[in-house]
Amino acid sequence: MEITSRTEGRHASGSPGGALMMTLAFVLLAGCSAQVASPGSKTGGTTGGTTSGGTGNSSTPGGGSVTAGSGQGSGTSTSGGVTAAGNGTTSGNSGGSATAGGTGTVGAVGGGTTGSGTGTSGTVAACDAIVTSRRVRRLSRREYSNVVTDLLGAPAGAAVMTALPDDPLVQGFDNLDDGFSQVTDSWQETVSDLAATLSAQANPTILAPCTTAAGSATCLQSFIKSFAKQAYGRPMTDPELMRATTVSALGQDYATSVRLVIELVLQSPNLIYVSELGDPSAPATPQQPVPLTNYEIASQLSFLLSGSRPDATLMKDTESTGLGSVAAIQAEATRMLTADRATGEMTRFVVGWLDMAPINTAPKSPDVYPTLTDAMVAGMQQEFDQFVSTQLARGNGTLASFMTGVSTNIPASLAPIYGSDLVNGQLDPSRRRGVLSLPGVLTYHASDVSSNPVERGLLVRRQLFCQFIPPPPPAAAMTAPIDSTDATTTTRQKFEVHEQDPACKGCHLTFDPIGYGFEQMDGIGRYRTTENGAMVDSTGTLSNTDVDGPFVGPAQLSMKLAQSQQMQACMVNHFFSFAQTRSTTDSDTCVIQTWANKFQVAGGHVKDLVMNYVADPNFVNRKDDR
Amino acid sequence: MKSTANFEFSRRTLMRAAGSTLLVPTFIKQAFGQTATPVRPNLVLMMQTNGTHQASFWPTGTAWTSDILGSLLADPVVGPKVTLINGVNLNKQGSPVGNGHDWGWHGLYSGMDNISMGAPFGGGPSVDQILIKKLNFTQPFKNIHCGVIVADYRLINAGRASFVCTAPGLQVPCETDLYGLYTKVFGSVTTATPAPTAGATPAATTAADAAAAAAAKLRLQQRQSVLDAVAQDLTTLEARLGASERNKVDAHLTAVRDLETRLSAMLTNSNAPRPAGCTSVKPSMTGVPTTGTNNEVSAPVLNTLFMDFIANAVACNMVGVITFQFGRGGDHYHYDWLNLTGMRADFHDDIAHKDNGSDAVAGSVMVGVGKYHAQLMQYLGQKLASFSQANAKTALDNSLVVWGNELATGPHGINGYPIAFIGGAAGKLSKTGYMVNAGTQIHQRLGCTISNIMGDPVTGFGWVPNSGPFVGLGLST
């Protein structure tokens, strides 16, 4: 049988955000037979096979009015003789009127069938709590490359990408703070060698021009200050300037002095880390908000929307008018959202959210897809990027348009893929709507030899509804009786054997029926009505969501998804990790729910999501960790 | 995997460690030599994937052979230095997410259950990272983590990108650029001049040599000065941090100080001898394809070249601990280059998972793949044996190569991990050339054994504080 490697891998991976999902009413499908609570009817202690515990209702924070209550929930489950229990509390320190009960956090994942728990009334959880502690975050390879590109040009940035190893992807993102390892000997050696090499290749005449041919101390000081400021996103401190000056003095000539400064700056922690520490002179205020400095806010904004340090305009505005008001920050965000780099960052968010990577990394069997060419795959990538840009990234799009819009920028190389879907250059919206209909997405979320309903069903469950699907039993991958090489049945018929096997159907019935709805699209995104001589049945079913019901094909599914508040909230959950550059925890629940409500009120406009985020106290404050 | 074209090392490239563009004089070329009889073994941890065919792996009866290990065990030099550890079972603490691939990938060398960070990630530091923090490694590089990752399957599970962790959830990225690794590790010990005899007077230098030496010395001093400023920046930053954040900056600071130390060695350790062979570390990249790097065309050549690199790096005393992974966790190699009869579309799904005793073809292919890996280990052993070290022993005598696997059997089996020690471990193993067969043993004993051999007298490992080392394995104190 061929569940395929990637299905097996997805089995092994949980949903992003872990336990947090459940407190957002994205309820655990442990045991894969649970009924999922609808939004707003949150229950506490959701471990176990069914949702359980927590008799109180959580209040719904929204629009800045803080009304959540804290509660306690507990749940127990039994699976295979092993009992798992979960207890959790969520509490806050202020807010509006408390409602009884509340959200219990989630106990250990069980695979059982029952659970129980009680919720108690409690104090109020504040949604304006600061949820991220003071920290320094190492730049990812990509971010470091971007900064180096800004400083020294594109070839230097490319050299960074070549020399440094990949950073680990956590929840689809390459820069989550909790995914980074500590700096090792080898990493430092590479960065140091890079700094030496790139500084040697730098042209001091261009970078540090001086009217005096041999240079001057004044020119050197000016260069040190300006170069470091761009690299660090803030002016140097006096001790830093002194150190740089000392280093530069070892140069035999002006050019060498300039290069030594470059070499220092490129490996300084002030470049390598993003500082989220606040004013150095401010005393510690344990557990209280620490305001970020204006320069730190500027870097937060620029890494979010450009993946690099502040550009000249942002730096100038930061120093002239400051970023002390929400309006000022939003004005900068509005400006930056129109830039290509913001589109790139939004695409990066979408790629992480949809659990994707470059489409050309999806393996495809040449035996099964002999007509698939590199040009077609490149066309898929181009169309995907364009779609994200048009429908979402530029700030004018909505989540609904992202899910239901029709692709209009279709590369010629995709004509063989679209086939009869294209009439006079236009796509048939009854077949193709939204991002899930794009050949690139369908190609990526498929196996190398087939469409793979499991893969696509899990995409919807895990990534779009933030529902946790437990891993299969360890032996499942070996025993599933599907033969991918059987040319006498359709893919659906092959996978429907899951329903006959008691060991499989508990879980597979939660996502296979969603995946079946994609069956009219093959493993490289081509529309089909037959497979192996039989009619393709592309009827799918959504269950355990707020938009349950049957559908046929990804276009109809997308129309349903566009109406889902659960999916909106799930996307916001992913955005939280993307924006705060860390994994979510239970303590983030209230904040994320608040953002989700604002996002919904704003009509699902992604631009507003960004604007609300940069206006949030969590954007400009950190919790004191000292 | 980037293109591997133009693999000839340019002289300029090899100068980078000393200063990017400057010539490196003879005395710097001779730096980093092995200076004393090793009291601690060179340590190499290998990680293979997808298990083995148990019935063909272990010797039976009194014969020192098996289908899979035949060539390795019969090797007159390497075979007697092999120690097999039979009966090692995974000992989970709880019910970690994922499946056997994840449990073994993250657990074999850490002794911990993996954790969930969206995907399964390591639940604790691997033994190599523990040792480099606890012990005083004097090699220029404490650790290199590398591997060959070219299978045309995309990364399916971020946690499986690396089996080496410094702490729960914190991976050490796997370096795959062999070219870059050679440059990094051997950039200062290039090829032209034979190593002098210990204590010999350096050859007379010309005026040009002297000028080049002075320039290179200045350049190294400049690099040290730069690093010192970086370290001061780090120290200033560290002082502003809370306890949890301080750890990451502290590790960074340590790495910078270590690099300063390496540069200092370049300036002062001028006449240390190196083992024969360490004067010619330039690898031959012949046969490395320049195209098709997203498939397995490169794999067989790169695997062999990495064995060369590992042997050179440890034998020349450049790296304290090397960790190496054959692909990613749960990898999907096709092993097309082996031309095995019965190989199916995907080794992982269609062969390893099917090797349950009732699929003879799957079993046969598993044996074929196992033989390939065994022969690679044989090759590594032979390379190590070709280096004579300062204590009149070979690098094989002085090394402990641990050949592990994420799984015991292809169908996610976690009992009976195929574990082999290769090398004499600098005398820390009282006996080699046999199989430990002392019944079932928890896998935490592997980490404890490695630690003890390396000089860390722990009594347990991972989440089992009193696991002890392997029973039945003779260790010299």
Side-chain angles (χ1 to χ4, degrees), chain A residues 376-387:
Chain A
M376 290 180 195
V377 176
M380 292 177 187
Q381 187 70 58
Q382 180 185 338
E383 183 191 34
F384 175 81
D385 293 344
Q386 276 287 328
F387 192 83

Side-chain angles (χ1 to χ4, degrees), chain B residues 340-365:
Chain B
L340 295 172
T341 302
M343 178 60 87
R344 298 165 183 157
D346 178 58
F347 174 73
H348 176 133
D349 284 330
D350 303 328
I351 297 292
H353 282 177
K354 300 289 177 65
D355 184 26
N356 55 12
S358 60
D359 186 333
V361 173
S364 171
V365 175

Side-chain angles (χ1 to χ4, degrees), chain B residues 296 333-340 343-345:
Chain B
E296 292 187 8
Y333 272 104
H334 295 265
Y335 292 100
D336 288 340
W337 70 90
L338 296 178
N339 294 316
L340 295 172
M343 178 60 87
R344 298 165 183 157

Side-chain angles (χ1 to χ4, degrees), chain B residues 390-433:
Chain B
N391 61 351
K393 301 284 188 181
T394 70
L396 180 63
D397 295 324
N398 291 330
S399 295
L400 174 65
V401 178
V402 182
W403 176 25
N405 198 308
E406 64 172 5
L407 283 172
T409 67
H412 291 187
I414 56 174
N415 291 327
Y417 278 88
I419 294 174
F421 290 172
I422 300 164
K428 303 298 182 186
L429 292 171
S430 59
K431 176 185 173 187
T432 61

Side-chain angles (χ1 to χ4, degrees), chain A residues 443-465:
Chain A
T443 296
Y444 192 84
H445 285 293
S447 78
D448 56 339
V449 295
S450 75
S451 53
N452 197 341
V454 171
E455 166 96 10
R456 291 170 175 177
L458 286 172
L459 165 67
V460 175
R461 277 279 179 231
R462 286 178 169 161
Q463 304 304 123
L464 301 187
F465 284 102

Side-chain angles (χ1 to χ4, degrees), chain A residues 188-277:
Chain A
Q188 175 58 42
E189 179 93 14
T190 302
V191 167
S192 188
D193 283 352
L194 259 175
T197 301
L198 296 178
S199 62
Q201 293 170 350
N203 186 338
T205 306
I206 295 173
L207 289 169
C210 193
T211 53
T212 307
S216 71
T218 302
C219 291
L220 189 59
Q221 284 287 297
S222 175
F223 167 72
I224 293 172
K225 290 177 180 176
S226 64
F227 189 77
K229 185 173 167 182
Q230 187 182 359
Y232 301 169
R234 62 165 173 78
M236 279 180 140
T237 64
D238 289 342
E240 288 163 358
L241 178 59
M242 187 178 302
R243 286 195 283 273
T245 303
T246 301
V247 167
S248 70
L250 290 174
Q252 307 92 306
D253 48 40
Y254 180 71
T256 307
S257 295
V258 168
R259 290 189 172 113
L260 286 170
V261 170
I262 295 170
E263 186 177 354
L264 165 61
V265 168
L266 291 185
Q267 55 189 316
S268 169
N270 301 314
L271 186 159
I272 287 172
Y273 293 95
V274 182
S275 169
E276 302 174 32
L277 299 173

Side-chain angles (χ1 to χ4, degrees), chain A residues 1-6 8-18 82 134-138 162-163 165-171 177-190 192-193 196-197 199-201 232 239-240 243-244 246-247 250-252 256 260 263-264 267-270 272-273 275 277-281 296 355 357 360-364 443-446 448-449 455 468 471-478 480 482 484 583 625-626, chain B residues 2 16-17 19-22 92 95-103 116-121 129 133 139-145 152-161 165-175 177 181 183-184 215 218-219 221-223 225-234 236-237 240-245 247-249 251-252 254-256 258-259 262 294 328 330 332 334 345-346 348-350 352-354 356 410-412:
Chain A
M1 111 84 170
E2 166 77 57
I3 277 193
T4 83
S5 57
R6 288 159 50 216
E8 186 263 334
R10 293 187 190 292
H11 274 138
S13 64
S15 62
V82 177
R134 290 171 77 251
R135 61 179 180 171
V136 287
R137 179 179 69 80
R138 179 170 72 77
T162 300
D166 290 341
D167 288 313
L169 286 177
V170 176
Q171 298 180 19
D177 187 43
D178 38 356
F180 277 157
S181 181
Q182 293 167 339
V183 168
T184 63
D185 275 0
S186 185
W187 192 90
Q188 175 58 42
E189 179 93 14
T190 302
S192 188
D193 283 352
T197 301
S199 62
Q201 293 170 350
Y232 301 169
E240 288 163 358
R243 286 195 283 273
T246 301
V247 167
L250 290 174
Q252 307 92 306
T256 307
L260 286 170
E263 186 177 354
L264 165 61
Q267 55 189 316
S268 169
N270 301 314
I272 287 172
Y273 293 95
S275 169
L277 299 173
D279 185 346
S281 63
E296 287 175 329
D355 193 20
N360 64 7
T361 63
K364 293 294 161 186
T443 296
Y444 192 84
H445 285 293
D448 56 339
V449 295
E455 166 96 10
F468 177 75
M478 283 69 61
I482 294 175
S484 61
S583 298
D625 62 337
R626 293 166 294 184
Chain B
K2 63 179 68 66
R16 282 182 184 163
S20 302
T21 59
L22 300 174
K92 294 181 292 175
S95 301
V97 297
N99 57 39
H101 293 286
D102 306 289
W103 304 339
S116 177
M117 291 173 53
F121 275 73
Q129 297 301 306
K133 284 184 179 175
Q139 289 88 346
F141 291 87
K142 292 177 180 174
N143 172 225
I144 294 288
H145 177 46
D152 56 353
Y153 266 86
R154 72 181 192 207
L155 179 60
I156 56 171
N157 174 329
R160 294 181 184 175
C165 279
T166 58
L170 294 181
Q171 288 180 348
V172 174
C174 178
E175 298 191 59
D177 181 1
L181 281 169
T183 304
K184 182 189 300 184
L218 173 61
R219 177 67 189 119
Q221 289 170 335
Q222 289 170 340
R223 287 198 71 177
S225 182
V226 166
L227 285 173
D228 194 54
V230 170
Q232 290 179 56
D233 282 354
L234 279 163
T236 303
L237 178 63
R240 297 184 59 201
L241 303 177
S244 64
E245 291 294 283
N247 286 337
K248 69 173 84 163
V249 173
H252 191 164
T254 299
V256 171
D258 286 348
L259 178 54
R262 292 197 288 276
N294 193 33
R328 300 180 177 120
H332 286 260
H334 295 265
D346 178 58
H348 176 133
D349 284 330
D350 303 328
H353 282 177
K354 300 289 177 65
N356 55 12
H412 291 187

Side-chain angles (χ1 to χ4, degrees), chain B residues 11-12 29 35 48 54 71 96 98 111 131 137 146 156 210 226 295 309 334 355 368 396 399 401 450 476:
Chain B
R11 185 169 180 79
R12 175 185 294 258
K29 297 173 188 172
T35 57
Q48 192 186 329
Q54 290 280 322
S71 176
L131 292 174
F137 284 90
C146 54
I156 56 171
V226 166
N295 57 40
F309 169 75
H334 295 265
D355 184 26
L396 180 63
S399 295
V401 178
I450 294 170
S476 300

